[in-house]
Every structure is written in C-alpha cells, then in structure tokens.
C-alpha cells in the first residue's frame, strides 16, 4: 500500500487551498485538507511554490505521439494516449474521424480491452462522423460521408457500451432519429460540421443534441444571403440555453477575443477545452507523412491551405493559452479542462476534481504553468517526474 502526501497550493471544488495537502493511497484521494498531515510511512512530495490541480479530461483528440486512434490498433491507442497523459490528460476519450464501420468495430474492440485494464486512462470512445454534411466536412473525409443509417448505428450501439460520445451534422436526413436513439443510450450527442441555423439548432437540442463540437470551427456565424442577413450556427448555439460547447483553445483555431467571448457567454459550467489533436501532437515535431497535411504556424493545415485540419495541442497548452492569452483565471481555465468535461460526459463520480474518494489524478504546474509531474490513479506517469528530481 503506497501512501503519498503532496503539499502545495491546491485547487479544490470549493476554491484554492493556499497551503494544503493531498493524501493519496491505492489510487484514490483519501483527504484534501489545509492542515499538515503526518502519516507514518507516507512519502511526502513538496510542491510548495507550485500549483496542484486535477488531471485533465480530454474528450476530443484524434491522436498523438505519431499515431491516430483511427488506426484501431492497441499500439496506436496506447502510444497516443500516453503522449497526452504526459501532458496531464489523465482521462481520455479517443476520437475516431469519419471512417468505415469495419474500422469503428475494430476500435471498439481495442477500446473495450484497454478500458478493462486497471488504471487505464482510456474512459470510452468518441466518434466524429461519418454522418457529416459534405459541404462542411472538408476533403479529408472523402469516401466515408453518408446520412445516418439505423441499420449501421443501432447494431453497433447494441454491441457495445464503450461509445460515450458521437458527433454528427444535425441537418442531415435521419439525424433526429439518431439523436433520440443515442440519448436513450446515455451517449453525449454533439452538432458538428454543420450549416444549421436557429430553428434547426433549437429542434436538434430538443431531440438530444446537447453539445457543440469545436465551437466556431466548421460552422457558420452571422452571414448574408442576397439582401438578407441570417444567424449562423454560432449565434444559434449561444441562444440555445442548456447547449454546452467546447473550444480548441490553442490560440490558433480561435483568437483570444473569441475565447473570452465564449467564456463570458457560456460560462465555465458549459464550456470545455479540447485539443482536437491529430497524430502529430506531442510527436517531437515530426512532419506529416500524409501529403494532404502540412505543419505550419504551429498547427496542422490542409496542404492546399483550404482549412485547418486539426491541432497539435495538448491539454496543458490549452490551460496556458486561456490564462496567458485570453486572461481567464487559472481556476476557471482548469475547471474547463477537468471538472466540466468530466461532468458532461459522465465520469465526474471519479474524475475531474481533487476531492475525497475520487481517483488520484493530479497534475503539478510550475509558475509558468508547465507540467512538472502527473499522477494517474496514484502513480507517477513516467517521464513527468521533474518535480521529484528538481
């Protein structure tokens, strides 16, 4: 039985403890207190001068470390998940881009196996597509896009319970029946790659679309057709009380002003930070092998410069961007990376906050908000032990 005490400035659900202690044992948090703890045999980690925050919950990432989750192999899942884990993502929902249902079934089998492993950071599967509006999906999904087919998705969702989130375009024929079904299964259903305007978003929310994927990206804002002006998906989501959002807060997909606006209008409880990371995230700067993509200006783009293809960010980058570029308080930035996604996707009974009884998923940040150490289920993640050897 390994008992550890971590001392420092701690973010709790009730706010900051300036000089607090976290007691962890057997992968769980036993106590969070502002008192000095003295436990016989416990290892004491001195993180004073640093910040102790809950592990981040990454619910939209396509890959990392040189691998894409759509490869649907154990190797790809393990390497990509580990790449993000080293940057503080102690809970991960691997995201599949639009692909064949054969691949989805393969990914389901891998995900189910890894979820059963003790102390696995993989908490479930996220599918984006293939039910996407081709006008808004970009060329990277050519050959896979289609309208929702209940003969495909119902057998899949009866086959597995590991799928926790599914994103599609709500204006497609059959999308409402899809959302009603996924809602009945407790699956987070999100609008994505869409042209939907207010009436369509309002109707989509009513049948089960509760979330907007990569808000602002792959969806129109206020626009004009001939002589008349129309609200876009963006304004429609703002006007739909109860619909939650996520933002790719890398400072490139959205400027700081828009990040501030989302924070102001939707708030901490309804906003998540996501990476939307591709395989090239946390991959030591390796260039894409796929000729469709280029790395430029710190982001992955389509080679023809027609659109952004995805980010290179990790969860710690998002928190730093929100604090340093968008001037959002650290506590709120962390909550949008941990507490809010954990609650929205249904794992807040064990993830997303530093409180008694929850998993000992802990990230230590230095004064520049760089990761110094990560604990996942009470164990230090290899390669993140800078604090222990300072």
């Amino acid at each position: 039985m390994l008992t550890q005490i971590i001392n420092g400035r701690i973010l709790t659900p009730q706010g900051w403890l300036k000089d607090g202690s976290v007691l962890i044992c057997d992968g769980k948090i036993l106590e969070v207190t502002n008192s000095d703890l003295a436990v016989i045999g416990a290892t004491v980690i001195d993180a004073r001068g640093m910040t102790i925050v809950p592990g981040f919950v990454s619910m939209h990432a396509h890959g990392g470390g040189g691998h894409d989750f759509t490869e649907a192999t154990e190797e790809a899942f393990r390497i990509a998940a580990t790449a993000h884990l080293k940057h503080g993502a102690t809970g991960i929902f691997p995201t599949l881009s639009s692909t064949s249902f054969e691949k989805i079934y393969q990914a389901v089998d891998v995900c189910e196996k890894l979820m059963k492993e003790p102390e696995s950071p993989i908490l479930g599967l996220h599918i984006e597509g293939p039910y996407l509006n081709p006008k808004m999906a970009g060329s990277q999904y050519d050959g896979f896009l289609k309208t929702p087919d209940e003969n495909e998705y119902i057998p899949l969702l009866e086959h597995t319970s590991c799928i926790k989130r599914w994103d599609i375009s709500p204006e497609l024929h059959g999308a409402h029946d899809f959302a009603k079904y996924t809602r009945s299964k407790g699956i987070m259903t999100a609008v994505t790659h869409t042209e939907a305007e207010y009436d369509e978003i309002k109707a989509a929310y009513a049948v089960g679309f509760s979330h907007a994927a990569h808000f602002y990206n792959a969806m129109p804002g206020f626009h004009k057709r001939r002589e008349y002006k129309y609200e876009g998906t963006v304004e429609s989501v703002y006007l739909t009380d109860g619909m939650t959002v996520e933002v790719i807060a890398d400072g490139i997909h959205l400027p700081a002003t828009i990040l501030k606006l989302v924070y102001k209008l939707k708030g901490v409880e309804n906003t998540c930070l996501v990476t939307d990371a591709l395989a090239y995230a946390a991959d030591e700067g390796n260039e894409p092998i796929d000729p469709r993509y280029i790395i430029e200006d710190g982001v992955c783009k389509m080679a023809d410069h027609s659109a952004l293809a995805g980010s290179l960010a990790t969860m710690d980058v998002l928190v730093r961007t929100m604090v340093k570029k968008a001037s959002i308080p650290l506590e709120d930035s962390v909550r949008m990376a941990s507490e809010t996604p954990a609650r929205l996707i249904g794992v807040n009974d064990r993830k997303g906050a530093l409180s008694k009884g929850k998993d000992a998923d802990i990230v230590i940040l230095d004064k520049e908000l760089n990761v110094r150490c990560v604990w996942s289920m009470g164990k230090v993640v290899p390669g993140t032990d800078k604090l222990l050897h300072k």
Side-chain angles (χ1 to χ4, degrees), residues 16 19 44 65 72 104 124 148 180 198 219 254-255 260 293 296 320 341 346 366 390:
W16 291 106
D19 295 303
V44 178
I104 295 174
K180 291 175 184 177
Y198 182 64
M219 60 184 66
L254 296 175
K260 289 180 182 180
Y293 305 127
E296 188 176 82
R320 283 198 299 275
D366 64 19
K390 64 178 181 177

Coordinates of all heavy atoms in Angstrom, one line a residue, residues 16 19 44 65 72 104 124 148 180 198 219 254-255 260 293 296 320 341 346 366 390:
W16 N -9.4 27.6 -3.8 CA -7.9 27.4 -3.5 C -7.7 27.1 -2.0 O -8.2 27.7 -1.2 CB -7.1 28.6 -3.9 CG -7.1 28.8 -5.4 CD1 -7.7 29.8 -6.1 CD2 -6.3 28.0 -6.4 NE1 -7.4 29.7 -7.5 CE2 -6.5 28.6 -7.6 CE3 -5.5 26.9 -6.3 CZ2 -6.0 28.1 -8.8 CZ3 -4.9 26.4 -7.4 CH2 -5.1 27.0 -8.7
D19 N -2.0 26.6 1.4 CA -1.0 25.7 1.9 C -1.8 24.4 2.3 O -2.1 24.2 3.4 CB -0.3 26.3 3.1 CG 0.5 27.5 2.7 OD1 1.4 27.4 1.8 OD2 0.3 28.6 3.3
V44 N 6.3 12.1 1.3 CA 5.9 13.5 1.2 C 6.6 14.1 0.0 O 7.8 14.1 -0.2 CB 6.3 14.2 2.5 CG1 5.9 15.7 2.4 CG2 5.6 13.6 3.7
G65 N 1.5 11.5 -30.5 CA 2.7 10.7 -30.5 C 3.0 10.0 -31.8 O 3.7 9.0 -31.8
A72 N -7.0 2.1 -35.1 CA -7.7 1.0 -34.4 C -6.9 -0.2 -34.0 O -7.3 -1.3 -34.1 CB -8.9 0.5 -35.3
I104 N -14.6 1.1 -37.1 CA -15.2 1.5 -35.9 C -15.3 0.3 -35.0 O -15.0 0.3 -33.8 CB -16.6 2.2 -36.1 CG1 -16.4 3.5 -36.8 CG2 -17.3 2.4 -34.7 CD1 -17.7 4.2 -37.2
G124 N -13.5 5.7 -22.6 CA -14.6 5.5 -23.6 C -14.2 6.0 -25.0 O -13.1 6.6 -25.1
P148 N -27.3 9.4 -41.7 CA -27.4 8.4 -40.7 C -28.2 7.2 -41.1 O -29.3 7.3 -41.8 CB -28.2 9.1 -39.6 CG -27.8 10.5 -39.8 CD -27.7 10.7 -41.2
K180 N -32.3 10.9 -30.9 CA -33.2 10.3 -30.0 C -32.7 8.9 -29.5 O -32.8 8.6 -28.3 CB -34.6 10.1 -30.6 CG -35.3 11.4 -30.9 CD -36.6 11.2 -31.7 CE -37.3 12.5 -32.0 NZ -38.5 12.2 -32.9
Y198 N -30.9 28.8 -36.6 CA -31.5 28.8 -35.3 C -32.6 27.7 -35.1 O -32.6 26.9 -34.2 CB -32.1 30.1 -34.9 CG -32.7 30.2 -33.6 CD1 -31.9 29.9 -32.4 CD2 -34.1 30.4 -33.4 CE1 -32.5 30.0 -31.2 CE2 -34.6 30.4 -32.1 CZ -33.8 30.2 -31.0 OH -34.4 30.2 -29.8
M219 N -18.4 25.6 -38.8 CA -19.8 26.0 -38.7 C -19.9 27.5 -38.9 O -18.9 28.2 -38.6 CB -20.4 25.7 -37.3 CG -19.7 26.4 -36.1 SD -20.3 25.9 -34.5 CE -19.9 24.2 -34.4
L254 N -8.9 29.5 -32.6 CA -9.7 30.7 -32.2 C -8.8 31.7 -31.5 O -8.0 31.4 -30.7 CB -10.8 30.2 -31.2 CG -11.9 29.3 -31.6 CD1 -12.8 28.9 -30.5 CD2 -12.7 29.8 -32.8
P255 N -9.0 33.0 -31.9 CA -8.2 34.0 -31.2 C -8.7 34.2 -29.8 O -9.8 33.8 -29.4 CB -8.5 35.3 -32.1 CG -9.9 35.0 -32.6 CD -10.0 33.5 -32.9
K260 N -12.4 34.6 -25.0 CA -13.0 35.4 -23.9 C -14.6 35.5 -24.1 O -15.3 35.4 -23.1 CB -12.5 36.8 -24.0 CG -11.0 36.9 -23.5 CD -10.6 38.4 -23.6 CE -9.1 38.6 -23.3 NZ -8.7 40.0 -23.4
Y293 N -1.6 16.9 -45.6 CA -1.5 17.8 -44.5 C -0.1 18.5 -44.5 O 0.9 17.9 -45.0 CB -1.6 17.1 -43.2 CG -2.9 16.3 -43.0 CD1 -2.9 15.0 -42.7 CD2 -4.1 17.0 -43.2 CE1 -4.1 14.3 -42.5 CE2 -5.3 16.3 -43.0 CZ -5.3 14.9 -42.7 OH -6.5 14.2 -42.6
E296 N 2.3 24.1 -40.2 CA 2.7 25.5 -40.4 C 2.0 26.3 -39.4 O 0.9 26.2 -39.0 CB 2.2 25.9 -41.8 CG 2.6 27.2 -42.3 CD 2.2 27.5 -43.7 OE1 1.0 27.9 -43.9 OE2 3.0 27.3 -44.7
R320 N -2.7 27.0 -20.5 CA -1.8 28.1 -20.6 C -2.3 29.2 -21.5 O -2.2 30.4 -21.2 CB -0.4 27.6 -21.0 CG 0.4 27.0 -20.0 CD 1.9 26.9 -20.4 NE 2.1 26.2 -21.6 CZ 2.3 24.9 -21.7 NH1 2.2 24.2 -20.6 NH2 2.6 24.3 -22.8
P341 N -15.7 18.9 -18.5 CA -15.8 17.8 -19.3 C -16.1 16.5 -18.6 O -16.9 15.6 -19.1 CB -14.4 17.7 -20.0 CG -13.5 18.5 -19.2 CD -14.4 19.6 -18.6
G346 N -20.0 12.3 -18.1 CA -20.5 11.3 -17.2 C -19.5 10.6 -16.4 O -19.7 9.4 -16.0
D366 N 4.1 24.4 -12.7 CA 5.0 25.4 -12.1 C 4.5 26.8 -12.3 O 3.4 26.9 -12.8 CB 6.4 25.2 -12.7 CG 6.5 25.4 -14.2 OD1 5.6 26.1 -14.7 OD2 7.5 25.0 -14.8
K390 N 13.8 17.8 -8.8 CA 14.1 19.2 -9.0 C 15.4 19.5 -8.3 O 15.8 18.9 -7.3 CB 13.0 20.0 -8.5 CG 12.7 20.0 -7.0 CD 11.5 20.9 -6.7 CE 11.3 20.9 -5.2 NZ 10.2 21.9 -4.8

